Structure formats: structure tokens, C-alpha cells
Amino acid sequence: MGRTTGEQLALHGGKPVRTEPLLPGYPGGLLIGAEEKAAVLEVLDSQSLFRHYGPKPLGKVVEFEHAFARAMGTRHAVAVTSGTAALMTALAALGVGPGDEVIVPTYTWIATINAVVVLGAVPVFVDIDETLNMDPRSVEASVTPATKAVLPVHMRGAGADMAPILEIARRHRLRIVEDTAQAVGGRYRGTRLGTFGDLGAFSLQYHKVITTGEGGVVVTQNDALYDRAVRFHDQGSARMQELDETLPGANSLMIGLNFRMSEITGAIGLVQLGRMEGIIERMRTHKRTILDGLTGVPGLTPRPLPDPDGDTGATLMFFLPTGEQTRAFSAALNAEGIRNTVAWDSGQHVYYHFDQIIERRLFSERHCAWECPHYRGRARLEKGMFPRSDDLLQRAIHIDLHPLMTERDEADIVRAIRKVSHALS
């Protein structure tokens, strides 16, 4: 992979491994091209941008929902406007609301927490483990009489260890919503992520494996939960023809929201869904090559995964022995032209340390979650409550991967990491 021994770090005036920055980690976004353009123009030509009607409706959202359900191996899929909308719709379908607790991991995106709180429920944070996903042992210890659901998050392209989480949920009669926003198309023990729980929530935001810019999907195997999800996302569902009116209580309209996906978004989603397997395979290949090249680097521990074969390959993450070493390593690696972040220092995904959550800042003083009269729990959140999560995230370096990486990109990443490791060891 090239000479690294004795080279002066770019941080100290040496020649960087590369001067041209790596492309950012926008897997599906980097592949947007003629097919997506044609799909959008077809919808525009139809003059029918709304999923329910128009002069010449094409039914692209319905087609996308059916295709997404087939790709994930589920009975149903509901296309929505964002990953956040998917989380809210899934939780609402389960009836999560005031008085309920939902267990969430410390390492996640803000939407996981916001969706719980906006519905009036209380997020209960639990530690992650070395996989950087929810630690099942922490879940077990955090169940209370107020717990309604567990919300595992498949972070940075790789699945949480679902088998023990499912067993805990079964034993305590809890519901599960999988936040699969960052791992669309990934698997766990051969089965698609997002399909183990009662419902799965997916994101199609621009940074995700496949993208429509913004967008999301809810999947479920359960007919009744599908019915509720459809109603919630479509204003209570005055017009939805696909609802099963034979289900108990199905003839009653409900109060819902408008999270309907547009026909343009659905059309782009269909094209991107067709790219999903190829994107994942290419990213996995890049990641395997890089990891092989890093074998034996002292002090560097690759992120362990519950099921490496199900990884989407969207990110390369590794640990160093201390937080101080990690920050120094990250700075030196950036100077070598390899864009990276320390999980803790990136300013994102460590929201259990953010003041708006700790101080419970809501848009209305009368909106409740923690303060709801229905809530009898004692969930609290303070900085320093999760030293294990703090330690892991302060020692984790994150590098985005994407399907358009070249052999030179792979080699440069390996060479730069080896160069920095040798210089700082």
C-alpha cells in the first residue's frame, strides 16, 4: 500500500498522502443521473404530482411502496416525507403517547429522540456497547412499568444485535420500532434490518444509502399496524382506498397528520431502490479491502459488528486506546487529506449530552412529555450519566465510504492511517 515508515506528517509540514479530497459519503446521491431525471420528468409530464389524484395519475408512490415492501420482505410499506415522519408514524401506530417511556440508545440522530418527545412520551437513554449500537444488557436494566417500546437504532450502516433485544422485548411484553435510517438494505443474520420489530422506520435523506433528498418509509408485517400507520400519516385517512375496513375499529376516522410522499419523490425512490443492492455491494467491497490493508496496525481496533455480513459498508469506524490519542490521530489524518471525524467531536449523534434534551426545551410550555400528568416514571438525564458511552464515542473515528471509491482512494486511506499510526506511536 506504499511507504509510510519515517514519513513526516502533513500536520508537521510533510507532504500529505493526498491533496484532492475524497468524495463525501452520499452513496445514492452520488449516483443520481439520467434515470432519476427521466423519472421526474415523467411525473411532471403527467401533471399529477399528488399521490391520490391528478389529470393522469401514475401511482408512483404506491408502486414504490409495493417495491420497497418486496425488497425488505414485508407485507406492507408506507411512504412518508422523512425518516422523522417514519419514526413518528411507527410510534403512533403502536399508540405511544403521554405516560409512556421509549428506550433509545445514547448514540443516535436527534430524530429518534424528537419523534418520541413530540408524541408526548419520554425517551429513556441506555448505553451502547463496542458495536456502537444499543447494548442489550442496558435495555434489560432500564425496563420500568412505564416502558411501552424499545427503539434500537442501526447506526452508521450496521445492525444492532437484535436477537437479545427481541428476547428482552418478548419477556417484558414490549413493542419494538427499528430505526433503520442509516442502514437501509442492511441485514442481520440474513434478514433485512427494520423487519424484526413490530415496525421499521427508514430514511431516504440525502446522506443515506439510497436517497430522494428527503423521504422515509415505514414497514410492518402486521395488518392492523399498517392500517393505523396509513391513517396517521394521511390526516386520519378519509380517502385511503387500500385500508382494510374489516379490521376492528377500522371504520372510524382518526386525527392524524400529513406525512404523504409526493409522486416525484416516489418516482426517484423507485430508481434509487433499484440501485440499492449494487451500492451496498460496492461499499462492502471497499470496506473489506481497506480493513484488510489495516491488519496489524498497532493500537487500532476496528468496530466489531454483530453480523459483519449484513453491514452496508457505508462507514469505516475504528477505536484508539484513549480519547486524547483519538483526537490527535483524527487531526493528523485530516491533514493527510482523509476526511474523518471523532464520533464525540462531530457535533452530532451525542444528543444525550445536548442541553435542549437535558433541559427539556419544548415549543409550548403546555406540551408535556416528562411533565405529563399521565407519566409516573422517573427518567432523568444528566451529563456524565453514561461514562461507557462517553468513552467509546471519544475513542471512535468515523470515515464515510461510498460506491464510487477507486482503488487509489482505498490505498490512500490505508496509507494515511498507517502513516499516522507510525508517526504517533
Side-chain angles (χ1 to χ4, degrees):
M1 288 292 181
R3 178 177 176 272
T4 59
T5 304
E7 289 186 279
Q8 186 178 25
L9 290 178
L11 199 63
H12 300 151
K15 182 180 178 181
V17 168
R18 64 183 293 146
T19 55
E20 180 186 353
L22 293 169
L23 288 173
Y26 307 140
L30 293 175
L31 295 178
I32 290 174
E35 290 182 67
E36 285 86 354
K37 182 178 179 180
V40 170
L41 291 176
E42 182 185 15
V43 174
L44 292 176
D45 287 342
S46 76
Q47 299 180 312
S48 304
L49 279 61
F50 182 48
R51 70 168 291 166
H52 289 316
Y53 52 75
K56 294 176 286 185
L58 301 177
K60 291 295 183 179
V61 176
V62 172
E63 187 180 351
F64 173 63
E65 288 173 334
H66 292 166
F68 196 90
R70 287 194 301 272
M72 297 301 125
T74 58
R75 285 174 57 83
H76 305 292
V78 181
V80 294
T81 51
S82 68
T84 308
L87 287 166
M88 289 186 64
T89 299
L91 291 167
L94 293 176
V96 169
D100 296 329
E101 291 178 347
V102 178
I103 293 175
V104 301
T106 48
Y107 187 41
T108 186
W109 174 241
I110 189 67
T112 312
I113 306 155
N114 287 345
V116 174
V117 175
V118 168
L119 288 171
V122 173
V124 175
F125 288 88
V126 299
D127 258 321
I128 55 173
D129 57 24
E130 288 77 6
T131 70
L132 299 177
N133 283 318
M134 178 180 278
D135 182 352
R137 293 168 296 181
S138 298
V139 174
E140 183 84 63
S142 300
V143 175
T144 75
T147 307
K148 180 73 171 277
V150 182
L151 214 171
V153 183
H154 305 304
M155 280 296 289
R156 300 301 194 189
D161 194 1
M162 289 303 299
I165 293 173
L166 289 166
E167 173 55 27
I168 292 165
R170 184 198 63 77
R171 197 160 57 246
H172 293 279
R173 298 182 180 180
L174 302 176
R175 312 304 290 269
I176 290 181
V177 172
E178 292 174 70
D179 184 339
T180 322
Q182 297 189 11
V184 179
R187 297 179 184 270
Y188 175 80
R189 299 183 180 180
T191 299
R192 294 285 193 191
L193 298 172
T195 66
F196 291 90
D198 298 278
L199 302 109
F202 298 80
S203 173
L204 303 173
Q205 185 267 344
Y206 194 68
H207 205 132
K208 304 306 188 288
V209 174
I210 58 173
T211 184
T212 55
E214 283 283 12
V217 187
V218 178
V219 301
T220 185
Q221 304 283 17
N222 186 287
D223 293 344
L225 291 177
Y226 169 71
D227 185 279
R228 287 175 59 86
V230 169
R231 291 175 187 275
F232 181 80
H233 101 290
D234 193 4
Q235 306 283 28
S237 298
R239 293 190 301 272
M240 294 300 286
Q241 300 302 314
E242 59 260 44
L243 290 177
D244 187 349
E245 298 295 340
T246 67
L247 293 170
N251 291 317
S252 301
L253 296 178
M254 302 173 72
I255 295 173
L257 296 173
N258 174 12
F259 288 147
R260 293 185 298 257
M261 179 178 281
S262 78
E263 286 287 276
I264 288 177
T265 304
I268 297 171
L270 276 166
V271 177
Q272 285 272 306
L273 185 62
R275 301 187 189 279
M276 183 180 70
E277 292 290 1
I279 289 172
I280 291 173
E281 182 52 41
R282 287 155 75 177
M283 292 194 300
R284 283 171 50 80
T285 299
H286 297 316
K287 187 171 182 177
R288 283 194 299 265
T289 300
I290 294 167
L291 285 173
D292 287 346
L294 296 177
T295 302
V297 175
L300 186 152
T301 304
R303 173 194 184 188
L305 299 178
D307 182 6
D309 291 337
D311 181 19
T312 65
T315 57
L316 172 70
M317 299 192 76
F318 55 87
F319 298 97
L320 291 158
T322 70
E324 183 179 2
Q325 288 173 300
T326 305
R327 289 187 181 184
F329 199 104
S330 175
L333 198 56
N334 274 316
E336 297 298 334
I338 304 301
R339 183 188 292 112
N340 75 94
T341 57
V342 177
W344 179 267
D345 293 339
S346 66
Q348 300 175 347
H349 300 96
V350 290
Y351 287 100
Y352 69 104
H353 263 261
F354 274 48
D355 289 341
Q356 74 266 34
I357 307 299
I358 294 173
E359 297 174 8
R360 305 175 180 181
R361 299 176 189 165
L362 300 171
F363 276 92
S364 169
E365 293 180 0
R366 292 180 296 277
H367 179 91
C368 66
W370 298 268
E371 290 80 14
C372 281
H374 302 286
Y375 181 52
R376 298 290 186 264
R378 299 181 179 179
R380 65 186 183 91
L381 181 62
E382 300 172 3
K383 293 181 182 181
M385 278 182 62
F386 299 99
R388 186 183 184 201
S389 293
D390 295 351
D391 174 65
L392 288 167
L393 295 171
Q394 287 167 9
R395 295 191 295 109
I397 285 182
H398 164 218
I399 299 174
D400 279 332
L401 307 180
H402 60 78
L404 296 183
M405 294 186 76
T406 64
E407 291 183 3
R408 182 205 159 192
D409 294 336
E410 297 170 351
D412 285 348
I413 292 172
V414 172
R415 181 166 178 256
I417 291 174
R418 285 188 167 274
K419 177 182 177 180
V420 171
S421 175
H422 182 270
L424 297 182
S425 60

